[in-house]
Amino acid sequence: MVNWTEIFGVNPSADRPDRALALGYAQTGQEVLHALFALDVTLARITLGTREPLVAQMRLTWWHDALQAPQPPAHPILRALREVDGTRAAAMTDGWQQLLDTPDDDALAAFASGRGELFALAAAAIGATDAVEAAGRGWALADLAGITADRELAARARATATPLLEHAAGQRWSEAGRALGGLVHLARRDLAAGAGEAGARRVARLAWHRLTGR
């Protein structure tokens, strides 16, 4: 079994076994898929874990430029993403940048759109043709609601994520796309029951999704 944390220096599943299980459903493109989520975790830590906004801005700018560079720096995440659309990957950093100041509704929407490119890039990597725009934006917001210390921001993110995830969960996900579909269903459960919900229930829900695409 590949140790993606050791390879990328950050856990692509954000230390969540249920998320690791869902990502493991991908039948192809595993390296790029996990590198994309490792990038997202890295950007989240920069944005939410750096006390000085100017320092966070500088670090996000480094990633923004590196993702689009013809010859990117020698970094394992960048190495794994060398064939990925750099412009769309850089949009993820633009999304996270929206949170460096207290975001209004427009900035929160821009965050969801930018960070949501993660799902579009992941779908391309694993050969999924499912509709992922609402899924990406909804997942981005739902996850933010669970990791930000700002309660007001969390509430706004949660309210905006709910209809997006409901829409995304309504489709029957292709076999290739069930890694991402599984993340959608986990995000819905996070909003409804919290990440502390019994693991057995989450595993059962993922198993049903893997079998049926629902």
Side-chain angles (χ1 to χ4, degrees):
M1 184 175 181
V2 179
N3 187 330
W4 298 110
T5 302
E6 185 175 288
I7 291 173
F8 296 126
V10 61
N11 189 331
S13 305
D15 299 319
R16 288 189 49 170
D18 55 352
R19 190 172 295 178
L21 179 61
L23 291 176
Y25 288 168
Q27 300 173 346
T28 187
Q30 282 273 348
E31 182 183 25
V32 175
L33 177 67
H34 283 85
L36 286 166
F37 278 87
L39 171 64
D40 184 66
V41 171
T42 299
L43 300 178
R45 289 181 176 178
I46 291 172
T47 306
L48 302 179
T50 306
R51 293 185 178 181
E52 294 294 332
L54 181 58
V55 174
Q57 177 67 71
M58 292 173 61
R59 292 174 179 171
L60 290 175
T61 298
W62 185 90
W63 279 101
H64 183 278
D65 293 346
L67 286 162
Q68 298 183 94
Q71 294 183 327
H75 189 287
I77 292 177
L78 295 172
R79 224 171 10 247
L81 298 180
R82 59 190 176 277
E83 301 299 329
V84 165
D85 185 331
T87 300
R88 301 193 78 169
M92 292 171 59
T93 69
D94 295 334
W96 278 107
Q97 183 177 322
Q98 300 297 320
L99 302 187
L100 293 181
D101 295 317
T102 303
D104 58 17
D105 289 345
D106 288 342
L108 188 60
F111 161 77
S113 180
R115 189 188 185 193
E117 288 289 350
L118 169 63
F119 267 50
L121 292 166
I126 63 178
T129 57
D130 309 85
V132 296
E133 182 181 357
R137 289 187 289 131
W139 181 88
L141 290 163
D143 183 69
L144 174 64
I147 61 178
T148 180
D150 185 333
R151 293 186 179 181
E152 189 272 337
L153 177 60
R156 289 165 54 209
R158 189 177 296 110
T160 308
T162 298
L164 292 168
L165 291 174
E166 290 294 330
H167 175 76
Q171 65 181 314
R172 183 178 184 275
W173 288 76
S174 69
E175 190 170 353
R178 289 178 192 175
L180 299 178
L183 294 179
V184 167
H185 287 290
L186 289 177
R188 291 180 71 208
R189 298 187 80 89
D190 288 345
L191 294 181
E197 180 189 32
R201 293 183 179 181
R202 289 172 175 268
V203 170
R205 183 63 185 89
L206 285 176
W208 176 251
H209 173 70
R210 186 177 191 182
L211 180 65
T212 67
R214 296 291 187 181

